[in-house]
Amino acid sequence: MKEILSGNEAIARGAFEAGVKVASAYPGTPSTEILENIIQYKDIDASWAPNEKVALEVGIGASFGGGRALVTMKHVGVNVAADPLFTLSYTGVNGGLVLVSADDPEMHSSQNEQDNRNYAKFAKVPMLESADSQECKDFTKLAFAISEQFDTPVMLRTTTRTSHGKSIVTLEEPVAGLPVPKLTRNAAKFVMLPSNARVRHPFIEERTLKLQQYANTLTINRMELRDRSIGVITSGIPYQYVREVLPEASVLKLGMVYPLPDKLIREFAGKVEKLYIVEELDPFIEEQVKAMGVEVIGKEIIPICGELTPGILRKAFKLPEPARSRVDILPGRPPNMCPGCPHRGIFYTLNQLKAYVMGDIGCYTLGFLPPLSAMDTCVCMGAGIGNAIGITKVLSTEEQKKVVAVIGDSTFLHSGITGLLDMVYNNVPATVIILDNRITAMTGRQENPASGFTLVGDETFKVDLPQLVRSLGVKNVRIVDPLNIDETKQVLQEEMERPEPSVVITRRPCVLIKREGVYENGAGVKVDIELCAGCKACLKLGCPAIIWQADGKKGKAFIDPQLCTGCNVCEQVCKLNAIEAKK
Ligand code: SF4
Ligand code: SF4
């Protein structure tokens, strides 16, 4: 049977066909839909973990017990999971373990565009890279086979285009005859204290050499010989662009990008006149091929930053541009918080207070954009609190009062707790604002330990954030409704003045959580045109439902009833009472 699947759907299907027992992940674009699709396969125990490190540790446990385990994350998530990953490379596996790294060249929704092929080399684990949905499924299954054959975790790399692009996939039955998981004691392999780890290191080096031999024989590394004047080594989605832009060129298409098939590369190089390497981001293949003494052209013509496109390749190979597509002429649309977003009120207030806001990763990072313009730093998941501690240590007492850290509920549970522990432990007088919108909103409303529901929708224990924060030693904990501007402002002022650690929890569910029923179409507010003086105060909220209509010199505000959720923040901001709730 054939189906049209996205790469993420195909990986979920591949896990099912591979007989995976346990799947764990923290949501992160572009990987999120793998777990969301895997839940249709009831034999797989799938769950959201509070962060990527825990997700990998769950997978490791399942593997040690003899079950196959899939762990998925976006590229920056691998940074969080790197600690167990590097030691997992040493312990190896029992049941196969596959770690999907969904990379995001061009940073469509990420804070950097790291190339996680480097992780495979650094951690000394094999990496496969798929170029379409069929390969996403097939490579997932192959990765489990390699994992068990070579006693190693295997990384499967996708990029945004392979994760979200759709193509035809042939479905198969799940594999049969996998061993039944059971407790297996093997301390020499699974207890990585130095004396055992020293024994495992030579095994890892030997394993890499064996994998390199294997890569030379692997059919997913294939030569496509056509015109011999140009040869291109490529992998992943750039393979599709090479086929489109240079259809006559000979291609060495790599399905395994680490370790590289050295003999195959030399053989291919000997068959073509001029050899190019087309790869996104780092010169990962290029450097290794050059180190083999093979002459290639790579980053001399292929950009090192951002996603490749057929257009970029055409330019690199000095080929004529085709006629402009309609896509090129669409106007840009900056991202924005949703109408009625509970974060709008808090960032509006922080802007009014001229706070120095040490931000974090979540949809609230959009608080950086004008007109809210209320975020001053943003580094990585959970970093905002540590950053606030650090800057407080170097500022004067007066300037310290301006500093706040903002962090979402999910991000706080992901990696904010330890930062807050540090703040209390070292008695740093900073204020942390936990933006509790009851969900992991940025990646599409996934559940988390504070939402009260599991990945499959079962009700579960709901973390009590104020209680958790108090148990970490925070004496000053305040809870506010961020849609109440005056109250929020007053509480923030008091806590920012306080020469002690404090936490403000802004509690209001994301407007898009259906079960909370906060969005009611048509239940909005309207502008009384007679009263509106065109002062533009309401525009400072940046709500997409508020439209400006030029009228002579000034203009007036209008509210789109289709978009307005009736959060009433603009009503509080309008000093002329021109905005009122609909009757
Ligand atoms: S804040 Fe009130 S008076 Fe000012 S533009 Fe908006 S609706 Fe009009
Ligand atoms: S009430 Fe005002 S701020 Fe809230 S969604 Fe409607 S227009 Fe936007």
Side-chain angles (χ1 to χ4, degrees):
M1 198 170 78
K2 291 182 193 297
E3 264 189 43
I4 296 177
L5 299 179
S6 71
N8 283 343
E9 290 167 336
I11 290 170
R13 176 72 196 188
F16 166 67
E17 291 181 9
V20 162
K21 290 270 180 244
V22 170
S24 188
Y26 182 80
T29 309
S31 70
T32 311
E33 300 83 7
I34 301 173
L35 265 262
E36 288 180 331
N37 278 285
I38 230 167
I39 59 175
Q40 66 187 289
Y41 306 110
K42 303 296 177 201
D43 291 344
I44 303 176
D45 181 314
S47 56
W48 292 129
N51 66 34
E52 296 83 356
K53 178 175 182 286
V54 175
L56 182 54
E57 287 157 351
V58 169
I60 292 171
S63 164
F64 284 0
R68 287 187 165 183
L70 182 81
V71 182
T72 72
M73 55 197 67
K74 68 179 292 170
H75 65 291
V76 287
V78 181
N79 304 335
V80 180
D83 198 3
L85 172 63
F86 279 65
T87 304
L88 171 64
S89 174
Y90 273 46
T91 64
V93 301
N94 185 7
L97 189 147
V98 175
L99 169 61
V100 177
S101 169
D103 292 8
D104 186 17
E106 199 69 34
M107 295 171 277
H108 294 284
S109 56
S110 307
Q111 63 271 40
N112 71 27
E113 64 177 357
Q114 68 193 43
D115 185 335
N116 275 11
R117 294 177 299 172
N118 293 299
Y119 261 117
K121 190 164 182 279
F122 192 10
K124 304 184 186 212
V125 299
M127 176 179 269
L128 309 182
E129 185 175 18
S130 46
D132 59 27
S133 297
Q134 181 69 54
E135 286 193 352
C136 282
K137 194 201 77 156
D138 293 346
F139 286 14
T140 302
K141 292 167 77 176
L142 176 64
F144 280 103
I146 294 173
S147 175
E148 286 164 7
Q149 184 182 342
F150 290 90
D151 188 12
T152 178
V154 177
M155 291 181 79
L156 172 63
R157 181 185 189 235
T158 61
T159 56
T160 306
R161 300 295 155 187
T162 33
S163 300
H164 291 164
K166 290 200 169 198
S167 56
I168 295 170
V169 177
T170 304
L171 307 186
E172 292 161 289
E173 291 301 311
V175 291
L178 290 173
V180 177
K182 62 174 177 5
L183 282 180
T184 314
R185 291 190 205 282
N186 188 351
K189 179 165 155 57
F190 294 144
V191 182
M192 279 304 101
L193 47 70
S195 57
N196 287 343
R198 277 186 213 112
V199 177
R200 289 294 289 177
H201 190 180
F203 167 82
I204 307 314
E205 300 303 334
E206 221 173 280
R207 182 179 74 194
T208 303
L209 293 175
K210 283 183 186 157
L211 279 159
Q212 186 165 45
Q213 294 306 314
Y214 176 71
N216 283 306
T217 64
L218 203 51
T219 52
I220 61 169
N221 293 328
R222 63 167 191 264
M223 269 194 258
E224 297 173 1
L225 293 171
R226 301 180 192 90
D227 177 1
R228 308 283 182 105
S229 62
I230 289 183
V232 182
I233 302 176
T234 188
S235 66
I237 205 71
Y239 166 77
Q240 310 286 9
Y241 305 151
V242 169
R243 292 294 295 122
E244 184 178 331
V245 173
L246 302 165
E248 299 307 324
S250 292
V251 173
L252 174 56
K253 197 251 186 219
L254 299 177
M256 183 184 256
V257 289
Y258 188 78
L260 289 176
D262 54 345
K263 288 196 188 90
L264 197 61
I265 287 169
R266 283 182 209 283
E267 193 189 330
F268 182 69
K271 288 181 189 295
V272 296
E273 286 168 34
K274 208 164 187 182
L275 185 58
Y276 293 88
I277 293 187
V278 175
E279 57 189 330
E280 262 172 353
L281 302 181
D282 291 350
F284 180 78
I285 300 172
E286 181 183 334
E287 282 178 358
Q288 294 180 71
V289 172
K290 281 182 174 165
M292 290 177 203
V294 176
E295 210 175 296
V296 288
I297 300 166
K299 292 299 166 192
E300 294 94 327
I301 62 164
I302 307 292
I304 198 167
C305 300
E307 251 186 336
L308 295 182
T309 62
I312 290 170
L313 276 201
R314 266 185 216 104
K315 213 166 165 191
F317 284 91
K318 298 192 170 31
L319 296 169
E321 275 289 316
R324 280 185 86 192
S325 71
R326 284 168 61 85
V327 173
D328 292 337
I329 51 176
L330 284 174
R333 288 185 303 164
N336 198 351
M337 288 172 191
C338 304
C341 175
H343 302 325
R344 182 166 281 108
I346 189 81
F347 283 105
Y348 174 80
T349 311
L350 287 168
N351 177 306
Q352 301 284 300
L353 292 172
K354 298 195 172 24
Y356 190 87
V357 181
M358 311 215 71
D360 221 299
I361 311 289
C363 49
Y364 49 90
T365 314
L366 298 173
F368 152 76
L369 294 169
L372 294 166
S373 306
M375 189 172 287
D376 296 281
T377 70
C378 177
V379 178
C380 67
M381 292 283 283
I385 301 178
N387 296 160
I389 295 168
I391 202 165
T392 301
K393 286 175 186 260
V394 297
L395 295 178
S396 66
T397 312
E398 263 325 289
E399 279 193 316
Q400 283 177 354
K401 291 177 184 168
K402 289 279 168 207
V403 175
V404 300
V406 295
I407 188 163
D409 49 342
S410 182
T411 313
F412 178 68
L413 297 174
H414 175 283
S415 47
I417 297 172
T418 42
L420 189 59
L421 265 177
D422 184 292
M423 196 173 109
V424 177
Y425 175 54
N426 291 303
N427 198 24
V428 179
T431 299
V432 173
I433 306 170
I434 301 177
L435 307 164
D436 179 12
N437 65 357
R438 289 272 177 264
I439 209 81
T440 310
M442 187 183 197
T443 41
R445 287 166 286 132
Q446 285 75 34
E447 308 296 349
N448 66 55
S451 74
F453 293 88
T454 66
L455 167 64
V456 293
D458 291 341
E459 273 197 66
T460 185
F461 176 77
K462 190 194 296 191
V463 170
D464 182 327
L465 286 174
Q467 205 180 329
L468 172 62
V469 166
R470 283 192 194 99
S471 74
L472 298 176
V474 182
K475 291 193 202 90
N476 311 295
V477 183
R478 309 281 295 272
I479 299 167
V480 292
D481 178 353
L483 298 189
N484 185 330
I485 300 291
D486 287 344
E487 184 202 359
T488 302
K489 190 172 183 183
Q490 193 191 328
V491 167
L492 281 181
Q493 274 173 324
E494 285 168 15
E495 295 310 317
M496 287 164 72
E497 277 294 318
R498 196 190 289 278
E500 286 177 39
S502 64
V503 169
V504 177
I505 298 173
T506 67
R507 184 172 280 170
R508 174 63 72 155
C510 167
V511 76
L512 296 177
I513 312 178
K514 285 197 185 80
R515 65 168 173 265
E516 300 279 351
V518 282
Y519 179 77
E520 231 186 288
N521 204 357
V525 296
K526 60 178 184 177
V527 177
D528 183 330
I529 299 303
E530 299 302 317
L531 292 178
C532 175
C535 71
K536 295 189 176 177
C538 53
L539 296 189
K540 291 197 178 115
L541 292 169
C543 175
I546 306 176
I547 302 159
W548 190 251
Q549 291 198 348
D551 173 20
K553 274 190 183 163
K554 276 203 159 172
K556 304 244 183 213
F558 286 84
I559 289 174
D560 183 340
Q562 292 301 315
L563 292 177
C564 176
T565 65
C567 73
N568 295 97
V569 168
C570 58
E571 194 181 345
Q572 297 167 61
V573 162
C574 177
K575 299 290 176 238
L576 295 176
N577 297 324
I579 301 177
E580 57 180 22
K582 278 186 184 168
K583 299 275 180 308

